Amino acid sequence: MELTGAEIIIECLKAEGIDHVFGYPGGAVLHIYDALYKQDEVKHILVRHEQGATHAADGYARSTGKAGVVLVTSGPGATNAVTGIATAYMDSIPMVVITGQVPKPLIGNDAFQEVDSVGITRPVVKHNFLIKDVRQIATTFKKAFHVATTGRPGPVVIDIPKDITAAKTRFSYPANLKMRSYCPVNNGHSGQIKRALDLILSAQRPMIYTGGGVILSNGSDELRRFVGKLGYPITQTLMGLGAFPASNPLSLGMLGMHGTYEANMAMHHCDVLLAIGARFDDRVTGDIKKFCPTAKIVHIDIDPSSISKNVKVDIPIVGDVKHVLSQLNHQLAKTQKQLDESALKNWWVQIEEWRSQDCLKYDRDSAIIKPQFVLEALHKITEGNAFVTSDVGQHQMFTAQYYGFDEPRRWINSGGLGTMGFGLPAAMGVQLAHPDETVVCITGESSIQMCIQELATCKQYGLPLKIINLNNGYMGMVRQWQEFFYEKRYAMSTMDGIPDFVALAESYGHVGLRVVKPEDVQPALEKAFAITDQLVFIDFITTQEENVYPMVPAGGGLNEMILV
């Protein structure tokens, strides 16, 4: 029996085990929407803006490890999705984005709602396809999901002309797939593994630095086993939080621009650095010329193009983090070489001295709510077990510093692109993937307004999110930089015309709370989390000019932190 291209698309999604598609209809994809309507296995989530669809699919993917799926129409539908595609690309998140296109005979004619979706998205996707024949659909979808979810994950765009979705052919989904030009390596080279372990065990001042690659590869258990055997200090990037427990004494917290004093100082003074699933981005390294000046560096990464891209390394290992850590653990169990216990003990003495600086202390007696206080209270009431999404800015950094993630895939944020507006729709995707879990969105009065229309989506699908709005009346991180580096010229960073968020939340049919006094923080959180069947928006009025410390100024080294 022959199926239309639209029906084949739905069968492809079923074959890939896709249960949710996030999208917004339009003329070029109406055949696909009609096919969606005729079945109930694949659920469609109607967002209020295509950017919301991509962020929701992104949050779904980050929290599950499965590919998120987006469906948008041609022209503005596709261009509205680009920010979310770029967000996923920067953080290596698996996503398949289906964009409608004008009928094939009209491509290139400046037809109504026509854009070159393949050309526009090429710089921010792992790969993209333009389907020109209905017989290509099944194979293309198989390739798209394979590329998106293997190797270094990333978004893949499939652009489909409307007439192709109406054409008919027989459907057969490929059971196996071999792509000659795409063969990611999983296991590390055994010789490099041995060299790396010899260097690691010879260290006097070792340091382990891990990133989002550990989480993407599901390598958390292997990492914990490896670090536990060695007893070495470990620090994690913003994207890597939760792969190793924040509550473990071996953890020095986050490193980088807003990393802890002990993590940054240990990085600067280490003699052997093991980098795992991290890409040495500028917010981690500071001035590359000053980065880890005395360290020999081992770098494990699935993507060979990331190795020695920013920082030259001594021993590269190309492979999947989970597989390579398993190899290291196996080799460690067999080796006769012993680590230098005396040197490691002295190293920990120095680290504990740095740790005693208590770089995250703040004024706990403030008469105005401190954002740090809210996040510590949130951690207490959720027992550290919530899925937490964030927008981008000071609240994002405060969450990374004060919430304390002990498990992977619980911390969902836009790290590489730094996309304001990410938090709310990402939380929707997480909640749909984990309907029985507590999902919290940490945001600010500037970020939340970027995609606030998704409150309507939350109402339509009954998503009981808890939104923590840290409202200081500024674009907080912009203001902080203006204070430090622009002589307090707060150009356009004051957020005037702020809406009444309580009334706004209530107008969408949700519960709204406003909290002004520190003593009301805990009771408000208790009230919010006692409501399990509704979205609760809590507007915390916080100190206006609180800064995120420590801070490494742009161009500084990790040992050149502003502490107060």
Side-chain angles (χ1 to χ4, degrees), residues 189-389:
H189 187 281
S190 58
Q192 293 293 83
I193 297 282
K194 188 176 185 306
R195 285 183 62 211
L197 190 59
D198 286 345
L199 179 60
I200 291 163
L201 292 175
S202 70
Q204 304 285 299
R205 302 182 306 280
M207 192 66 184
I208 298 173
Y209 145 58
T210 66
V214 179
I215 294 172
L216 293 170
S217 72
N218 297 314
S220 180
D221 289 343
E222 288 76 11
L223 175 67
R224 295 172 189 218
R225 195 173 307 123
F226 185 69
V227 176
K229 286 179 181 177
L230 293 173
Y232 284 2
I234 178 172
T235 182
Q236 300 173 14
T237 68
L238 179 71
M239 299 306 302
L241 297 177
F244 191 83
S247 59
N248 190 304
L250 297 177
S251 174
L252 306 189
M254 185 175 69
L255 80 160
M257 178 170 282
H258 295 295
T260 66
Y261 182 71
E262 54 267 30
N264 283 349
M265 292 299 285
M267 286 288 290
H268 184 78
H269 291 283
C270 71
D271 68 340
V272 173
L273 175 64
L274 172 59
I276 309 173
R279 58 189 178 85
F280 296 91
D281 72 282
D282 59 294
R283 290 296 172 103
V284 161
T285 64
D287 185 348
I288 289 177
K289 295 177 183 177
K290 302 175 183 178
F291 180 73
C292 296
T294 60
K296 295 284 187 181
I297 302 176
V298 178
H299 188 190
I300 303 168
D301 204 287
I302 188 70
D303 183 1
S305 71
S306 289
I307 294 179
S308 291
K309 180 178 181 179
N310 296 327
V311 173
K312 190 177 185 302
V313 304
D314 299 280
I315 302 178
I317 302 175
V318 177
D320 177 81
V321 164
K322 182 182 179 73
H323 286 77
V324 174
L325 282 172
S326 293
Q327 291 176 277
L328 278 169
N329 280 322
H330 180 70
Q331 191 72 25
L332 182 60
K334 294 195 313 178
T335 188
Q336 300 297 313
K337 186 167 183 175
Q338 300 294 313
L339 55 84
D340 189 332
E341 297 282 1
S342 176
L344 182 59
K345 182 178 179 181
N346 291 335
W347 180 226
W348 271 111
V349 169
Q350 174 62 79
I351 289 172
E352 292 302 333
E353 183 180 322
W354 289 326
R355 189 179 257 162
S356 69
Q357 293 281 335
D358 191 14
C359 65
L360 298 182
K361 61 180 178 289
Y362 64 94
D363 180 12
R364 297 177 183 276
D365 298 321
S366 171
I368 306 174
I369 296 171
K370 294 281 186 177
Q372 304 95 315
F373 178 71
V374 175
L375 290 161
E376 288 181 333
L378 178 66
H379 184 274
K380 181 178 178 182
I381 201 165
T382 61
E383 299 180 339
N385 292 324
F387 284 88
V388 179
T389 74

